[in-house]
């Protein structure tokens, strides 16, 4: 079995033990698929490989963990119907990296339950109000600065906002600087910017 | 944010991307859905506890 890690363009250095295979106008980076191993460990190894490809290539399109194929022919057959779309995505992310944003925080004072129906409804509304405010005053300015953005649907507190931004490699410091500036308006929330990552969230057109 | 928590969140972000995002050709993942759920639930707990740590730190 072989494991697919990413599609790349302009790769300068292959990570140890991997090879690049040209198919349908794309360079696929593959390696021998490890047998069953620790799941989190496998995810970390996959992630480190993709991040080293990001550092060594002009463009990288990360592949989700678990895309294993019997051989190159099987991989080629799977790539064939998607080749054009994948080439387009690869061009979209050329020269760009992904920056992640997470906002975590409790909305309500601890230890206070609802006293009546009205206060219960206010309690239910509080996280939605906070979410809307964060989208307007934190996410929107960052989205304007980015080439593209993806926001995860709101689940529930305390994870108030989870978003990814596609940013030109040279603009990451400025982008992070603006995120820090904007976050200072929310001293009670924990705002975390991570990256730069390979553009995982922008690898599929409708991700 | 404590140093450890920030590092944990970076790991959460990496694993989250590797498991849930990126190109999918086959949809035939090696990890079973149950495995992914387990990893994901674990990461959510980690993330929540990182947030809690942060709050406790501020309230001290």
């Amino acid at each position: 079995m072989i494991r697919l890690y990413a599609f790349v363009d302009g790769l300068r250095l292959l990570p140890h033990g991997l090879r690049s295979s040209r198919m349908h106008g794309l360079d696929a980076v593959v390696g021998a698929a490890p047998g069953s191993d620790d799941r989190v460990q496998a995810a970390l190894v996959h992630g480190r490989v993709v991040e080293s490809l990001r550092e060594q290539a002009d463009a990288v399109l990360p592949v989700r963990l678990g895309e294993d194929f019997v051989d190159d022919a099987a991989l080629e057959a799977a790539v064939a119907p998607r080749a054009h779309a994948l080439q387009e995505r690869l061009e979209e992310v050329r020269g760009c990296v992904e920056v992640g944003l997470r906002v975590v925080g409790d909305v309500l004072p601890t230890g206070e339950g609802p006293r009546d129906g009205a206060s219960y409804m206010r309690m239910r509304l509080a996280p939605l109000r906070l979410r809307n405010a964060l989208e307007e005053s934190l996410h929107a300015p960052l989205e304007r600065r980015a080439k593209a953005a993806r926001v995860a649907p709101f689940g529930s507190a305390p994870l108030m906002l989870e978003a990814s931004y596609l940013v030109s490699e040279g603009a990451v410091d400025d982008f992070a600087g603006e995120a820090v500036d904007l976050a200072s308006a929310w001293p009670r929330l924990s705002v975390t910017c991570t990256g730069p990552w390979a553009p995982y969230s922008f690898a599929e057109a409708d991700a | 944010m404590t140093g450890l928590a920030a590092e944990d969140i970076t790991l959460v972000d990496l694993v989250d991307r590797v498991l849930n995002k990126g190109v999918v050709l086959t949809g035939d993942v090696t990890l079973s859905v149950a495995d992914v759920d387990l990893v994901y639930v674990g990461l959510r707990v980690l993330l929540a506890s990182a947030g809690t740590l942060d709050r406790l730190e501020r309230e001290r």
Side-chain angles (χ1 to χ4, degrees):
Chain A
M1 292 290 273
I2 55 171
R3 176 160 294 176
L4 175 62
Y5 288 92
F7 296 99
V8 294
D9 188 56
L11 183 63
R12 292 173 288 277
L13 184 71
L14 262 172
H16 181 69
L18 303 187
R19 64 188 167 83
S20 170
S21 181
R22 182 84 181 163
M23 55 184 72
H24 307 294
L26 290 158
D27 286 323
V29 176
V30 298
S36 66
D37 44 11
D38 178 76
R39 308 303 189 187
V40 175
Q41 202 55 38
L44 292 176
V45 168
H46 190 93
R48 285 190 192 112
V49 165
V50 172
E51 291 309 316
S52 94
L53 292 171
R54 172 179 62 76
E55 287 168 6
Q56 295 296 335
D58 296 331
V60 58
L61 205 57
V63 170
R64 191 173 72 174
L65 173 66
E67 293 289 313
D68 293 353
F69 299 86
V70 175
D71 53 22
D72 279 32
L75 171 57
E76 272 198 62
V79 169
R82 300 271 326 269
H84 183 67
L86 291 170
Q87 283 166 4
E88 274 185 2
R89 293 313 303 167
L90 196 57
E91 283 311 309
E92 287 283 315
V93 302
R94 180 179 296 276
C96 292
V97 294
E98 178 171 329
V99 176
L101 181 81
R102 283 178 196 267
V103 181
V104 179
D106 286 336
V107 184
L108 297 165
T110 47
E112 252 186 60
R115 292 180 305 277
D116 51 29
S119 67
Y120 172 74
M121 289 313 288
R122 272 198 298 277
M123 206 176 95
R124 290 287 302 272
L125 269 176
L128 295 175
R129 287 219 174 93
L130 177 59
R131 164 74 178 200
N132 286 343
L134 285 169
E135 281 190 12
E136 275 171 30
S137 69
L138 182 58
H139 166 68
L142 292 176
E143 184 177 31
R144 281 195 291 275
R145 198 180 259 266
K147 287 186 73 177
R150 302 257 198 261
V151 188
F154 183 40
S156 60
L159 183 57
M160 296 308 302
L161 179 67
E162 195 176 14
S164 300
Y165 303 89
L166 188 67
V167 180
S168 295
E169 210 160 355
V172 169
D173 287 347
D174 285 350
F175 185 90
E178 172 149 15
V180 169
D181 282 352
L182 292 169
S184 65
W186 305 91
R188 294 192 60 237
L189 300 175
S190 159
V191 181
T192 312
C193 226
T194 64
W197 305 109
Y200 284 93
S201 304
F202 303 90
E204 294 280 0
D206 302 309
Chain B
M1 184 70 53
T2 64
L4 182 65
E7 192 176 294
D8 285 345
I9 287 188
T10 302
L11 282 183
V12 167
D13 260 31
L14 179 64
V15 175
D16 180 26
R17 282 179 169 73
V18 168
L19 292 181
N20 299 301
K21 293 162 183 174
V23 172
V24 179
L25 291 177
T26 62
D28 229 11
V29 293
T30 321
L31 302 186
S32 75
V33 173
D35 286 332
V36 173
D37 279 352
L38 275 181
V39 170
Y40 209 54
V41 166
L43 293 175
R44 289 287 176 213
V45 170
L46 176 60
L47 185 64
S49 61
T52 309
L53 270 180
D54 190 31
R55 196 185 65 238
L56 291 176
E57 201 71 18
R58 281 198 308 271
E59 286 172 356
R60 193 175 285 168

